[in-house]
Structure formats: structure tokens, C-alpha cells
Amino acid sequence: MTTERIRVWDGFVRLFHWSLVAGIATAWLTADGPKVLHEGLGYAIAALIALRVVWGLIGPRHARFADFVRGPRPVLAHLRDLRAGRERRYLGHNPAGGAMIVALLLTVAGTALTGWLQTTDAFWGSSAMEEVHEALATLILVLVGLHVAGVLVESLRHHENLVLSMLTGTKRPLSEQDRP
């Protein structure tokens, strides 16, 4: 196994990822705490999402949505290959990872939106909007659990510490057997 490393995740993607992790965890912990802190975190998280969407359009190769967002067929094919133990290794996100990113971005954005809507005249005190907000927040936890499970599976299957890669920004290059 090679010790050579190449840059995959740029500084913004890594800072976004870990800031989002910290923001969501703190928002969860402050849900019943100081309202000003919880709402402030919601606005910060919404800003992070907006910046990530822009970066997904103009950022470097592996940060761009075009590099990892795939339709249902490639995602399902990747999951079938994973189940059969023959999935290929990707330098960036695999199709299932790309689908998870989209699901998380949409769910986090929806949670931030429904939180903000509760501060507007139209939805102030709306128990229905609060329930939608809480359901989306719970869905974030479910998706995060699936995301972490996927990272662990891929790390074990491909003998690569993906958590470390998201800290350092580097991965080992693709080998000939990794290429399609």
C-alpha cells in the first residue's frame, strides 16, 4: 500500500464540514436552552449551507456537485456493488456519498428554513411548523447516523481513514484496480 497522498478536499470543504458538525451538535444541545443562541446557530448554519451551495458550483473539482451528484441508478448500482463486495473506490465521494450530501444539505436547509419561519408573523407560535422543524431536526440525526456508518464501511472496505482525510484533505491516489 502506497504512502503517497494527494489533495482531495480543499480547506473550505473541510472547514464547512466540521463547522456544520459543530453547529448542528450545538443547535441540538441548545434546542431548549437560550433561544438567542439556538436561533443564532440556525442563521450561521443557513449561511454555511448557502456558501457550500456556491462552492459546489464554483469550487475545485471534488467540491463541485458535478463531481459527485449522480442519479438514482448509479447510486443504487453502487449500493448493489457494495453489498456484493465489489464496489470501486473513488477519489472524491462515491455515488451513495453524493446522495447523502444532497440529502443532508436539503434536510439541514429545511430545518433552518422552518426555524426561521417560526420567527415570522405568518408562523409565529405555529405548532405545526414547530413539529415540521423538529421532525427535520430528527431526520438530520438519522442521516448523520447513516453518513457515519457509510464512512466507517468505506474506510474499512478500502483501508482508508476517511475521517482523517476530512481533517487533512488528502487521500491516497487511485490505483489501477480502483479505476473503472
Side-chain angles (χ1 to χ4, degrees):
M1 203 160 286
T2 181
T3 58
E4 180 187 359
R5 308 294 288 178
I6 58 173
R7 171 89 40 212
V8 176
W9 310 122
D10 64 277
F12 175 79
V13 165
R14 291 179 289 135
L15 181 62
F16 163 80
H17 180 270
W18 295 113
S19 297
L20 193 61
V21 168
I24 289 171
T26 307
W28 257 98
L29 294 172
T30 62
D32 296 322
K35 191 171 184 143
V36 67
L37 179 57
H38 185 76
E39 288 178 2
L41 285 163
Y43 289 122
I45 289 167
L48 280 171
I49 296 293
L51 290 170
R52 181 60 181 96
V53 168
V54 170
W55 202 242
L57 299 172
I58 67 168
R61 176 182 174 193
H62 295 296
R64 290 186 185 215
F65 298 128
D67 187 61
F68 60 83
V69 175
R70 301 287 177 258
R73 282 191 183 127
V75 172
L76 293 172
H78 178 79
L79 292 173
R80 276 192 303 274
D81 288 346
L82 176 65
R83 186 172 167 196
R86 64 174 185 264
E87 80 286 357
R88 66 177 266 231
R89 180 176 167 266
Y90 288 78
L91 197 53
H93 287 95
N94 65 49
M100 180 56 70
I101 291 170
V102 171
L104 278 166
L105 287 175
L106 290 173
T107 304
V108 172
T111 307
L113 176 63
T114 56
W116 170 75
L117 285 172
Q118 291 178 75
T119 69
T120 66
D121 290 341
F123 294 102
W124 181 265
S126 167
S127 60
M129 187 59 67
E130 185 175 353
E131 287 178 24
V132 171
H133 181 72
E134 290 175 2
L136 288 170
T138 301
L139 181 56
I140 290 171
L141 291 185
V142 171
L143 292 173
V144 165
L146 291 170
H147 171 62
V148 169
V151 167
L152 292 174
V153 166
E154 289 290 313
S155 290
L156 292 170
R157 293 275 306 132
H158 297 292
H159 308 287
E160 183 160 50
N161 187 336
L162 295 178
V163 174
L164 183 62
S165 291
M166 191 50 77
L167 289 168
T168 65
T170 63
K171 292 176 80 174
R172 72 178 192 278
L174 293 177
S175 68
E176 284 305 315
Q177 63 210 33
D178 294 328
R179 299 182 197 284

